[in-house]
Amino acid sequence: MHLRHFVRHSLSQLSAVLVKHESPERWPALLTVLNQSTKSPNPQDRQVGLLLLSKVVESNPEAFRPHYRQLLQLFDTVLQDVNNPTAMYYCILTLTTLTAYAGVAEQVSSSLSEGVLSALGKWDQAGEAMEILDELMESEVSPIIVPHISEIVHFCLEVWADNSLNDSIRVKALSCIASLIRLKNKAVLKQKLLSPILQMVFPVLSAAPPPGQEDLEDQEQDMDNEGDVESPKHFAAQVIDTLALHMPPEKLFQHILPQVQVCLSSENPYQKKAGVVCLAMLAEGCAGVHSFRMLPFMLRTVCHSLSDTSQVVRSAGLLALGQFSEHLQPDVSNYCADVMPLLLRYLAGLNQTMTVHVSKAFYALENFMENLGAEIEPYLPTLMETMLGTLSNAENLRIKELVVSAIGAIASAAKKLLVPYFPAVIENLKGFLLDIRDEVRCLQTQSLDTLSVLARNVGKETFSPLAAECVHLGLNLTNSVDDPDLRRSTYSLFSAVSTVSPECLNPHLGSITTAIMLTMKSTEGVTVSVFVLLDDEEDDDLNLEEEEDIEGNDRDVSEFSVENAYVDEKESACEALGEIAFNTGAAFLPFMESGFQEVFALHDFPHEDVRRASFTVMGQFCRTWHKIWKENPTQENHQVLQNTLSVVLPSLLEAVRKDRDHNVVIAALESMNGVLKACQEEALQSEAMLAEISHVIRDVFKSKTACQDVSEDEADDCQAEYEAILQEFAGEGIPLLASAVPADTFYPYLNELLPFIMNKTKSSCTVAQRSFSLGMLAEIAHSLGLVSGGRAVAGRLSSRLLPVMVSGVRDRDPEVRNNSVFGLGALAQAAGPLLTEYPYTEHLVGMCVFLLIRHVAWCCTFLHIFYIFCSPFQVFPALLSHLPLKKDLEENKTVFGCLAFLYNHNPSLV
């Protein structure tokens, strides 16, 4: 029986290989067999026919396009055949393939969707067949499932609640719910499904493990394997995270906080753990709400959990503190005086044999320290004594790796404050850096990463004596050790050294760039899925694919995948090449052309992190050529700069319009802004490019790019956050354009773009929107004051800008007020006497006195307004009465500038 089954699978796979290269119309016998077998009265024949159909359709979906309608009709019939579950299984596999294929999902009828749900409810292997639900939700016509969302959720919750099923099926059910939350959050809310989901998730999240066992994340075991297993409890926490990212915080808190409170007030350690883990999962998605209202309560709860008698509760508290530190900055750093002593005491009492728990403690410590800046100084002696002492005494390599990583986090915050400890740190790192044994590879790699952080933070005078030695170390490791993580760290070290001592790299640029570009070209770690004739698996669900290295593969490619280590390596190589090129400048000239070609070749790489790095570094190459041309202004250098700009800018604009990944688009916008800022008018030699950039900025504000293309039903808080970030980066390009070309040239485009910014200054907009928009208006006014024709254009715009800025000065938020004051000063400076044509004199004079009471430096930004609108004698005595400054001493520059300006224009003041 088993042999017969194996032969059927093998023949089906052979047919799939043939169909991949031959259309069914040219193989009429195949269509005849499929037609007869799938409609046969014999259940076994139907199974064989549907098995064959699933394989050949998966092989070449496009070839069956003329038959889609008949196939869907067939599936409708098969899904009613509840007595033949194997046939239903193959039917659902085929339907999953077709649904994922463009142009098919819209033909999936409502009755067929109901048939799928019905079949899933009756079929024993629901976990695999639920793939079709994921495909339907991801498809362009996902609205067809909206009427069935309640049924899907309740079905998945039934599967999830059935403890007799294996964990993989239960996790798959919850995965479908997570997909619904991510893609159809409004429908989930509208159909009142949030409460049932939470009621089913919390019991699993708070359940105690069987007697004598521990939850996976609490076990003292090999950490490398922990991430490979997704337990129901682990995935329950991920559902909370998904809810936080995609549900309105107020709606979510209304349902979730009562359950969290019940858990936290329990004496059961696993219920307490569930409450604390839930707070941790809420951190990222609900950051705005936390920062203003919930953070004190949440932080107090988490700090209290660190003194709980149960280690599982303390571990959850460490996770939560790490999450807060990662996602709730800068607000969480304000509690430094409460948190740092607690963490230091906790570290002092740790049992270092419990490596997993120690890892969580260091995770919390690192994330909290990284953003402290100079506030870390009081804790530095204790921290460094603990770190250096642990390095000297610990035998466990994982503990040493955690300490070395923590020293990097300390350096990021302390910067030059770390200099007294620098010799001792380097002495400890040397032994790890030079040990190339496989078993200490992770420690060696982390030591290289920390060395790079030190290079960037302790100061040139401290690190430069080690620069040449670091370069030699990196080259030796690159040549002697074949490991993608180690190469990534080595490239980062070269890049960091270039920031403090670029001349040390110059003699070795050939070797360094060769190694980096080999990594960028390499296809190591990139695999493709290909069909094979036979499979060694002996179970019923034989695999059709095998992973092969892409090099030398001449078979048809169905899909790319890239191992994470090689993605990180390529990303690091690309970024290092750009930074080294910029910092070494003219010395890098022999490698500029080949380096740029390799960077450009990655702009359509399948992994988004590599594409993002490519777009960032393309902009960096433009800035490098601009710097080289400025230092040596030859016609040849100018032409190469223009050639590079003519390739890079269109590529960046295309990425903004067409790439579907938000982070890639953000990187492309940021790179474009960097090019505009550095190259100015050189980037806009033709008005066509000015128009193209302006139109792309407009498209971002109108949500017309590919990554913004979501239906109203799919829009959620996460999408809204990305939308705001995209518009901020796009908006930052407007003042850069305004400062790069004559004002009259830019005015038509500026006139079109201004409404998008001004619409976000209204009182109904969020604080972040008002602050950003008024800041952009201020920057635009400032830019107009720098270019030819700017005064006339600023004067023309004053009637629109002045009321907005005057209103902003009286905003309840200090940052909005600050940006508005800066904007008024910049507009007055740009427009000059033209501003006196507008009736705001009394408002502005009153505002000067009002601002003096609150902030002297704010008042001083009005230095041109004083002169234009009123007699300085009205304000000058009041200004002097608030001097000298006793705090915010960095504002003295603004104050002295104001005094000098007033004196130069009216010496009688003194």
Side-chain angles (χ1 to χ4, degrees):
M1 184 69 180
H2 180 78
L3 179 61
R4 183 186 304 170
H5 181 78
F6 183 79
V7 171
R8 288 173 179 172
H9 269 272
S10 299
L11 291 173
S12 299
Q13 291 184 16
L14 175 59
S15 300
V17 173
L18 295 173
V19 167
K20 194 167 182 69
H21 302 281
E22 192 72 77
S23 69
E25 276 68 29
R26 299 187 62 179
W27 192 4
L30 174 66
L31 294 176
T32 301
V33 169
L34 288 172
N35 188 52
Q36 291 176 351
S37 59
T38 56
K39 297 177 181 178
S40 169
N42 186 320
Q44 288 290 323
D45 289 346
R46 292 201 300 276
Q47 288 181 21
V48 172
L50 288 162
L51 165 63
L52 175 60
L53 180 63
S54 71
K55 303 302 184 186
V56 295
V57 169
E58 184 182 20
S59 169
N60 192 356
E62 174 64 28
F64 286 85
R65 181 177 289 277
H67 308 282
Y68 286 165
R69 188 167 297 280
Q70 298 100 298
L71 288 175
L72 294 174
Q73 290 170 354
L74 168 67
F75 300 152
D76 214 351
T77 302
V78 174
L79 290 173
Q80 313 307 317
D81 189 3
V82 295
N83 295 318
N84 197 341
T86 303
M88 292 167 61
Y89 171 58
Y90 292 133
C91 170
I92 288 178
L93 289 183
T94 312
L95 191 53
T96 302
T97 299
L98 291 178
T99 303
Y101 198 75
V104 183
E106 65 268 21
Q107 299 182 42
V108 178
S109 66
S110 177
S111 63
L112 187 54
S113 300
E114 292 172 3
V116 171
L117 286 174
S118 176
L120 291 176
K122 297 179 176 66
W123 190 55
D124 292 336
Q125 290 177 291
E128 295 173 47
M130 277 190 289
E131 292 288 347
I132 191 171
L133 296 180
D134 278 342
E135 297 293 354
L136 281 168
M137 286 184 279
E138 294 282 359
S139 70
E140 294 183 2
V141 289
S142 54
I144 67 172
I145 69 164
V146 170
H148 307 291
I149 280 181
S150 182
E151 299 164 69
I152 294 172
V153 168
H154 284 105
F155 165 72
C156 291
L157 289 176
E158 286 177 16
V159 174
W160 168 251
D162 190 346
N163 291 322
S164 67
L165 297 173
N166 66 51
D167 285 353
S168 64
I169 291 178
R170 297 176 66 209
V171 164
K172 184 61 188 173
L174 211 57
S175 175
C176 283
I177 291 177
S179 295
L180 277 173
I181 294 166
R182 180 169 53 86
L183 298 169
K184 298 293 175 188
N185 62 319
K186 291 183 180 178
V188 170
L189 275 176
K190 188 175 181 180
Q191 298 188 35
K192 302 186 186 308
L193 297 170
L194 182 54
S195 184
I197 291 171
L198 290 173
Q199 287 171 6
M200 198 63 73
V201 166
F202 261 87
V204 176
L205 194 62
S206 58
Q213 297 183 26
E214 293 179 308
D215 288 335
L216 180 65
E217 63 272 15
D218 296 321
Q219 294 175 13
E220 283 296 326
Q221 61 178 18
D222 185 0
M223 293 288 289
D224 292 338
N225 297 324
E226 184 177 340
D228 297 336
V229 181
E230 285 191 332
S231 67
K233 180 175 284 193
H234 173 81
F235 210 88
Q238 297 307 307
V239 170
I240 302 295
D241 185 47
T242 304
L243 285 167
L245 287 169
H246 298 280
M247 289 287 176
E250 293 78 9
K251 299 278 187 183
L252 178 58
F253 279 20
Q254 178 184 343
H255 289 85
I256 206 170
L257 283 184
Q259 300 202 52
V260 171
Q261 293 279 19
V262 169
C263 289
L264 292 174
S265 60
S266 171
E267 293 300 316
N268 184 315
Y270 285 95
Q271 289 197 357
K272 282 185 186 178
K273 171 187 172 181
V276 177
V277 167
C278 189
L279 294 181
M281 295 299 103
L282 292 172
E284 181 179 6
C286 302
V289 176
H290 290 342
S291 297
F292 288 105
R293 297 204 301 269
M294 297 294 298
L295 184 55
F297 155 73
M298 295 174 68
L299 200 56
R300 189 166 56 250
T301 301
V302 168
C303 288
H304 182 70
S305 73
L306 294 182
S307 58
D308 196 275
T309 55
S310 170
Q311 182 169 299
V312 300
V313 178
R314 297 197 302 273
S315 290
L318 292 169
L319 168 69
L321 185 56
Q323 288 285 294
F324 292 178
S325 302
E326 188 171 344
H327 300 296
L328 304 181
Q329 293 293 347
D331 304 85
V332 74
S333 292
N334 294 332
Y335 297 87
C336 173
D338 300 314
V339 175
M340 278 303 295
L342 181 65
L343 279 173
L344 289 172
R345 286 197 302 272
Y346 197 88
L347 281 175
L350 279 176
N351 180 352
Q352 292 188 9
T353 63
M354 306 182 70
T355 311
V356 173
H357 190 69
V358 174
S359 298
K360 292 175 182 177
F362 273 90
Y363 166 73
L365 178 70
E366 274 199 47
N367 280 358
F368 192 82
M369 289 189 306
E370 275 184 330
N371 296 283
L372 289 182
E375 289 185 36
I376 201 173
E377 185 173 10
Y379 312 104
L380 204 51
T382 304
L383 273 171
M384 292 310 298
E385 181 183 353
T386 301
M387 298 300 139
L388 294 172
T390 305
L391 276 185
S392 300
N393 299 322
E395 296 182 2
N396 187 295
L397 291 176
R398 175 62 179 159
I399 299 293
K400 290 185 176 183
E401 182 186 343
L402 291 168
V403 172
V404 170
S405 178
I407 290 173
I410 294 169
S412 293
K415 300 192 184 321
K416 292 186 177 182
L417 294 171
L418 195 70
V419 169
Y421 309 95
F422 182 73
V425 170
I426 292 297
E427 192 59 35
N428 276 276
L429 291 184
K430 278 184 178 179
F432 309 145
L433 291 166
L434 298 174
D435 192 339
I436 61 172
R437 291 175 297 160
D438 290 344
E439 58 266 31
V440 297
R441 182 78 68 241
C442 290
L443 177 56
Q444 183 185 33
T445 301
Q446 183 57 65
S447 299
L448 280 169
D449 288 338
T450 296
L451 188 61
S452 298
V453 175
L454 291 167
R456 293 179 185 276
N457 287 284
V458 297
K460 182 175 181 177
E461 61 282 0
T462 300
F463 197 87
S464 288
L466 292 177
E469 190 177 348
C470 288
V471 174
H472 286 291
L473 169 68
L475 288 171
N476 288 336
L477 290 175
T478 302
N479 294 329
S480 60
V481 182
D482 182 14
D483 181 272
D485 282 326
L486 193 72
R487 287 193 295 268
R488 171 196 58 76
S489 297
T490 303
Y491 300 153
S492 295
L493 179 61
F494 290 146
S495 183
V497 170
S498 77
T499 65
V500 294
S501 186
E503 63 278 3
C504 288
L505 271 72
N506 291 349
H508 310 285
L509 282 176
S511 301
I512 291 170
T513 56
T514 297
I516 289 176
M517 286 192 277
L518 281 174
T519 288
M520 294 168 69
K521 288 178 183 178
S522 172
T523 55
E524 188 178 8
V526 182
T527 56
V528 295
S529 302
V530 296
F531 286 92
V532 294
L533 179 58
L534 296 176
D535 199 307
D536 292 333
E537 296 286 343
E538 293 190 351
D539 56 28
D540 289 349
D541 187 21
L542 297 182
N543 295 322
L544 286 186
E545 297 177 342
E546 65 177 4
E547 297 283 307
E548 289 199 354
D549 197 297
I550 192 173
E551 289 184 320
N553 181 17
D554 57 357
R555 283 180 274 185
D556 290 320
V557 176
S558 63
E559 175 175 280
F560 283 96
S561 64
V562 190
E563 294 177 42
N564 288 341
Y566 293 96
V567 169
D568 295 342
E569 182 194 4
K570 280 189 183 297
E571 181 185 0
S572 180
C574 191
E575 292 172 342
L577 191 69
E579 189 166 23
I580 292 169
F582 186 82
N583 290 327
T584 56
F588 199 81
L589 270 174
F591 316 102
M592 284 291 287
E593 184 178 354
S594 57
F596 178 75
Q597 288 173 353
E598 295 305 330
V599 170
F600 184 78
L602 294 176
H603 82 282
D604 57 357
F605 195 79
H607 199 285
E608 61 275 9
D609 288 347
V610 178
R611 293 201 307 280
R612 180 194 55 75
S614 173
F615 289 122
T616 298
V617 176
M618 277 197 273
Q620 205 162 22
F621 266 82
C622 290
R623 301 199 304 275
T624 301
W625 269 119
H626 186 267
K627 184 174 82 166
I628 291 171
W629 169 63
K630 281 290 188 181
E631 293 171 354
N632 185 18
T634 66
Q635 180 60 35
E636 181 183 1
N637 286 343
H638 184 262
Q639 188 58 53
V640 175
L641 169 62
Q642 285 300 316
N643 292 344
T644 307
L645 288 167
S646 69
V647 172
V648 170
L649 286 174
S651 297
L652 295 175
L653 297 176
E654 182 181 32
V656 174
R657 283 203 167 105
K658 296 183 178 180
D659 203 295
R660 302 199 67 86
D661 186 270
H662 287 95
N663 290 319
V664 173
V665 174
I666 289 168
L669 286 168
E670 187 175 21
S671 187
M672 178 189 76
N673 291 341
V675 171
L676 292 175
K677 185 175 182 179
C679 301
Q680 290 278 296
E681 68 278 3
E682 292 299 324
L684 302 168
Q685 289 289 292
S686 71
E687 190 169 333
M689 181 54 67
L690 173 64
E692 194 64 24
I693 294 174
S694 299
H695 292 157
V696 164
I697 293 173
R698 177 200 63 195
D699 289 346
V700 173
F701 276 105
K702 295 175 74 173
S703 301
K704 296 292 186 183
T705 68
C707 73
Q708 297 169 295
D709 184 18
V710 296
S711 67
E712 184 178 344
D713 185 57
E714 293 173 320
D716 57 19
D717 284 4
C718 189
Q719 177 69 24
E721 183 179 347
Y722 272 124
E723 192 82 0
I725 296 171
L726 285 167
Q727 292 184 1
E728 284 189 19
F729 276 100
E732 287 172 5
I734 301 175
L736 293 171
L737 292 173
S739 65
V741 294
D744 287 336
T745 303
F746 185 51
Y747 179 73
Y749 308 105
L750 178 59
N751 202 39
E752 183 182 15
L753 294 170
L754 272 180
F756 295 113
I757 300 179
M758 296 181 69
N759 284 341
K760 297 188 183 297
T761 63
K762 299 173 183 176
S763 58
S764 59
C765 295
T766 65
V767 170
Q769 289 173 329
R770 297 198 306 276
S771 176
F772 163 73
S773 300
L774 283 159
M776 280 302 98
L777 293 176
E779 293 288 350
I780 290 167
H782 178 71
S783 294
L784 291 174
L786 303 176
V787 296
S788 168
R791 172 153 294 186
V793 169
R796 206 181 314 173
L797 295 173
S798 294
S799 60
R800 296 160 65 185
L801 299 182
L802 265 176
V804 172
M805 291 177 175
V806 168
S807 175
V809 171
R810 299 191 180 277
D811 194 277
R812 62 183 179 275
D813 182 80
E815 188 174 338
V816 176
R817 293 197 299 268
N818 202 9
N819 288 347
S820 302
V821 171
F822 170 54
L824 281 169
L827 184 61
Q829 185 174 3
L834 295 176
L835 208 60
T836 58
E837 300 174 11
Y838 302 100
Y840 288 96
T841 304
E842 293 184 12
H843 287 291
L844 294 172
V845 172
M847 227 173 285
C848 289
V849 178
F850 169 75
L851 288 171
L852 273 170
I853 298 171
R854 291 179 168 239
H855 200 304
V856 175
W858 284 2
C859 178
C860 288
T861 61
F862 275 105
L863 54 93
H864 285 81
I865 297 176
F866 295 165
Y867 186 69
I868 294 169
F869 282 110
C870 58
S871 166
F873 290 103
Q874 294 176 264
V875 181
F876 190 67
L879 173 62
L880 290 178
S881 69
H882 287 79
L883 298 178
L885 294 179
K886 294 182 175 58
K887 61 179 182 177
D888 298 327
L889 298 182
E890 68 275 7
E891 302 290 1
N892 270 323
K893 181 178 179 181
T894 304
V895 174
F896 293 146
C898 170
L899 296 175
F901 175 84
L902 293 175
Y903 177 74
N904 286 336
H905 287 79
N906 197 337
S908 61
L909 282 171
V910 179

